[in-house]
Amino acid sequence: MSYIGTTLDNRYEITEQIGSGGMADVYKAVDNVENRTVAVKILKDEFSQNEEFLRRFRNESKAIAVLSHPNIVKIYDVGLSDEIKFIVMEYIDGITLKDFIEQQGVLRWKDALHLITQILRALQHAHDKGIVHRDIKPQNIMLFTDGTIKVMDFGIARFSRVDGKTVSDKTVGSVHYISPEQARGDMTDERSDIYSIGVLLYEMLTGKKPFDADTPVAIALMHMQEECVAPRDIMPSIPDALEEITLHAMEKDPARRYQSAAEMIKDIDTFKLDPTVVFGYKDVVNPAVSAPETRYFNPVIDKNNYDYQNDDEYAENDYDEDDDDDDDDEPRRSYVVPIMLAVTVAVVIIASLVIAYYAISNFGPNATHTGNIEIPNFVGANIVQVEQEFKGKLVFDKTEEYSEEYDEGIIIWQSQTGKTVREGYTLQVTVSRGQKLITVPNMVNKDAQIATSELTSAGFTVLPREAYDDNIAKGMVIRTEPEAGTEYPEGKEVQLFISQGPLETQVKVPDLKGLTKAKAIATLKENKLNYEVQDQEYDGEKGKVVDQSLTPGTYADKNTTCIIYVSTGETQPIDLTLRIPMPNNIRGSYTIDVYRDGSVAYTKTITNAEAVAGGTVSIDISGKKTERLVVYIRNTETNGYIVYAKYDIDYDKEEINLNGELNETDLLAITPPESTTPEPTPSLPDTNIPTQSTPDTPSQPDSQADPTNTQY
């Protein structure tokens, strides 16, 4: 079923279909409340009663609803009524990553990493929310002209978890990008998405999928059992370290893969700073199959390029000390028992003294004890509520500090917990002031290095992102996200979009319709597109563009030829024959008037109706495009007239369609009796039929004239 032309919830006016999947169709629509273009995903009718598809559809709406990230498609509304189930999302004016890969063939590794990093950030956000996508593939990723991506289609994402892993009751996902554990139907977690990312990166770098076969089953088996061809064997220009990153993400054992998207991003950032870095993943032995005595050491690293700040894990003191000479241990052991005994005795004596002092001070004759209280753990509780509840029992010595984790007024630290104290005890607590908000400064058109320094000094973490821009010079800032002027928590990530200059290979096709030929040609030249002009018969303004060969808003390679069709200012009318059926019992003489836009366009006189009874009356008509014709019939003896029929004419398609039904009943009502011999009656002038100014308002009360008889 097509929903084009319908309005959902009295709000979303659907204008065109822009996509179709196995589960749902996607339409472009106008949100009449917010006055914006949106995308509406509607579950197909055949799946509206299928519980599995309903579950997936609800899953997608729930998944996107809890996510808020610049690289994840936004959701605006959800409708899950019995009649129709739909999701309203942001409209993305771009192409799929699949289309982009097909256009480019092989991507430059810098471009591939630019796109992959954005996808990883989106996934890290989803994983932090407990959502695993499970269907990462280029068809589910949209690409804007500025190089920004949006991850979409969370239809098979899962929320429920067992021991921190997502439960999978069946194999899901697209077979070319499916992880081995998904192919087996095992439990899946965030690392399954990492595997799919590795496959996607492999495809972008080599132009080939790592595993391909004639059947989905064969491909799935390859994911589980076979090793892929090394990327550098296909494209030797790929750096060694980038091959390491790709294959590490594609490890068949989840335990040997990147354990998070953030971990993979860290390696990518390291590689960008030093493309000669050696990660050593190829040399790492699988702990799961290693012998128990196997030892692991840090890989061989280029000391000139390695970051020693992160090398604590491999410090010299980490080696096993059991290899020391046992002969040296015995003398040292002789002192252990006496020392431990002395310490124990000292602890017992001190504890006894403390207990005695506490007993005398609290229960002796001079004790001032009024009651004891065990200090609960207040961390996470509201300070106002705690003070009210423990008023008169505890005194709270409060300090405040900003906190990213706790809201304002929440206790984030206390000096004691679980200790029994006397009432009136003073407890030191730290109360959250909430997140410290800082205004994001305007960085537009600033040098990227200067902008990074200023944002860092302001208290933000900077995430540089590359984007193409035709107006901002390379190396300068296009925008920030959040945008300038936004109050944003201190320490949070601010995305800094840095211009890479104009997009090198493709341009966006402009909309040329309605432009003059000269203006259209100039516009194509400005957008680095070639042109060809063809005249077209069209009832529009002469010299204006009425159509174009390249679809506006899509992307085309530079110097692609776009054919523009220019109106000649007129079209030739098309001749058709209107055949009007007559009832069997008609008799007498009649005048047939055919009206167009309130005026008589065609007239035909029938002097002997018996000759056409049960047949048709033919009238030649001529016109352009579409119109509605209204047929009036007047009996020349009784002078009665009626609206007999309405016809919708499409001259371009050469189609004539009856609108409604023939008014045979009223025609027979104005037919004279059979015994009456009608006298010849001259036809009335056209201006008297009907008697009113237009046929839409005839003078007879029984008229069925159409008051809205207009061309459409």
Side-chain angles (χ1 to χ4, degrees), residues 389-407:
E389 184 177 352
F390 289 86
K391 186 177 182 181
K393 298 178 182 179
L394 292 172
V395 178
F396 294 91
D397 181 11
K398 301 185 292 290
T399 58
E400 294 182 345
E401 66 180 45
Y402 291 105
S403 172
E404 293 183 8
E405 183 179 0
Y406 295 96
D407 294 333

Side-chain angles (χ1 to χ4, degrees), residues 124-290:
Q124 187 62 59
H125 176 76
H127 295 167
D128 290 342
K129 299 291 186 180
I131 297 171
V132 182
H133 191 287
R134 304 200 305 168
D135 196 20
I136 291 296
K137 58 184 178 182
Q139 296 93 320
N140 287 338
I141 298 164
M142 296 298 294
L143 177 63
F144 291 88
T145 57
D146 63 357
T148 303
I149 65 94
K150 292 274 188 180
V151 179
M152 58 183 190
D153 201 349
F154 284 77
I156 62 173
R158 294 297 293 264
F159 296 82
S160 59
R161 295 182 169 222
V162 176
D163 297 331
K165 293 188 175 183
T166 302
V167 178
S168 176
D169 54 359
K170 61 184 68 177
T171 301
V172 294
S174 301
V175 69
H176 279 106
Y177 306 89
I178 197 171
S179 68
E181 59 269 28
Q182 281 180 283
R184 291 191 297 268
D186 293 345
M187 291 188 298
T188 57
D189 58 16
E190 294 85 349
R191 296 170 295 182
S192 294
D193 287 346
I194 299 298
Y195 184 91
S196 301
I197 286 292
V199 175
L200 181 55
L201 181 57
Y202 185 107
E203 183 180 6
M204 288 193 289
L205 294 173
T206 66
K208 301 179 181 294
K209 298 179 179 64
F211 301 111
D212 204 3
D214 294 333
T215 67
V217 173
I219 298 172
L221 288 172
M222 294 173 76
H223 279 290
M224 290 188 286
Q225 301 172 358
E226 297 186 15
E227 297 295 330
C228 65
V229 177
R232 284 176 49 81
D233 290 348
I234 303 173
M235 293 292 294
S237 60
I238 300 173
D240 284 327
L242 186 52
E243 182 181 72
E244 280 196 84
I245 292 172
T246 305
L247 296 179
H248 190 51
M250 290 177 59
E251 288 279 5
K252 298 191 182 300
D253 182 1
R256 299 186 63 189
R257 277 177 227 146
Y258 289 110
Q259 299 300 291
S260 68
E263 186 178 329
M264 188 171 177
I265 292 174
K266 183 179 179 181
D267 272 6
I268 290 174
D269 290 341
T270 301
F271 166 73
K272 286 180 179 179
L273 293 173
D274 181 13
T276 64
V277 67
V278 177
F279 294 105
Y281 295 131
K282 298 177 182 178
D283 304 322
V284 175
V285 182
N286 187 353
V289 298
S290 303

Side-chain angles (χ1 to χ4, degrees), residues 589-593 603-606 632-634 636 683 689:
S589 59
Y590 296 86
T591 298
I592 301 177
D593 292 322
T603 298
K604 190 160 188 174
T605 301
I606 308 296
Y632 287 80
I633 298 181
R634 178 187 294 275
T636 56
S683 301
I689 305 175

Side-chain angles (χ1 to χ4, degrees), residues 15 21 30 37 152 197 209 236 266 298 331 419 438 464 479 679:
T15 58
V30 177
T37 301
M152 58 183 190
I197 286 292
K209 298 179 179 64
K266 183 179 179 181
N298 54 311
K419 181 180 180 181
I438 306 172
R479 68 181 191 277
E679 299 178 2

Side-chain angles (χ1 to χ4, degrees), residues 628-633 640-646 659-670 690 694-709:
R628 174 171 293 176
L629 299 179
V630 181
V631 179
Y632 287 80
I633 298 181
Y641 78 99
I642 62 164
V643 176
Y644 183 64
K646 301 174 186 176
N659 187 300
E661 297 180 351
L662 298 173
N663 190 9
E664 293 183 351
T665 301
D666 288 348
L667 177 58
L668 294 175
I670 66 172
T694 69
D696 303 319
T697 56
S699 58
Q700 282 74 359
D702 61 343
S703 169
Q704 300 183 24
D706 182 9
T708 59
N709 175 30

Side-chain angles (χ1 to χ4, degrees), residues 113-131:
L113 291 183
H114 171 66
L115 299 176
I116 272 301
T117 301
Q118 295 180 74
I119 302 170
L120 286 168
R121 288 180 181 137
L123 289 178
Q124 187 62 59
H125 176 76
H127 295 167
D128 290 342
K129 299 291 186 180
I131 297 171

